[in-house]
Amino acid sequence: MEEMDRRILSLLAADGRISFTDIGRATGLSTSAAQQRVRRLEQRGVITGYSARIDPAALGRLLTAFVAVQPFDAGQPDDTPERLQHIPEIVSCYSVAGDANYLLMVQCETPADLERLLAEIRAAGRVSTHTTLVLSIPFADRPVL
């Protein structure tokens, strides 16, 4: 990947709403050249979308936890994500290697809500859980560049 594309990706990662004019100013490209480069990055699948970053605490979701899950019966079908996708407090689901089959990132309001959520995950997923509560997030979602 060209250094110019990396610079553009870095700018977009910092501000997904940056204008093509501002990208051009920051990189020395014309507005149309910046737009063409961004479009090519989108067409190649390097840029897969744009989204808003939402503070979960502003929505009352003060607790974040990682929940490692593994099926009670290793012989059961591996459909855990499908069985859990309806639960809105599950923000992310990662298939992992190691002791667990999946690692879930969950966000909820109170310890009581987390306890209820864990019971729901166990029942719906037919899994056992191991939970790690997040105390703080020094950094997250750093762009891959």
Side-chain angles (χ1 to χ4, degrees):
M1 177 173 296
E2 294 180 30
E3 183 57 31
M4 182 62 69
D5 288 342
R6 289 186 188 282
R7 290 176 59 196
I8 291 170
L9 290 172
S10 179
L11 291 166
L12 286 168
D15 178 5
R17 297 180 62 179
I18 190 171
S19 70
F20 295 124
T21 302
D22 289 339
I23 291 172
R25 280 192 199 116
T27 60
L29 295 171
S30 68
T31 299
S32 63
Q35 182 178 15
Q36 287 174 358
R37 284 199 178 244
V38 170
R39 295 291 179 245
R40 274 188 295 215
L41 290 166
E42 291 170 345
Q43 290 168 353
R44 289 180 21 219
V46 176
I47 297 173
T48 58
Y50 302 88
S51 63
R53 293 183 191 148
I54 300 168
D55 180 4
L59 301 177
R61 292 185 173 191
L62 303 175
L63 293 179
T64 298
F66 289 97
V67 181
V69 300
Q70 56 191 115
F72 290 125
D73 176 7
Q76 75 185 39
D78 187 10
D79 60 352
T80 301
E82 291 81 8
R83 285 188 267 119
L84 299 177
Q85 69 184 358
H86 70 280
I87 302 173
E89 293 93 344
I90 300 175
V91 176
S92 300
C93 175
Y94 303 94
S95 176
V96 296
D99 293 333
N101 292 46
Y102 294 94
L103 185 63
L104 311 175
M105 184 172 84
V106 302
Q107 294 174 334
C108 55
E109 294 182 12
T110 66
D113 291 326
L114 179 59
E115 188 171 26
R116 176 205 47 80
L117 175 61
L118 293 173
E120 184 177 358
I121 289 169
R122 288 184 202 112
R126 296 186 301 261
V127 293
S128 64
T129 62
H130 177 82
T131 305
T132 302
L133 192 61
V134 174
L135 299 177
S136 69
I137 305 170
F139 59 86
D141 301 322
R142 297 191 315 183
V144 179
L145 298 178

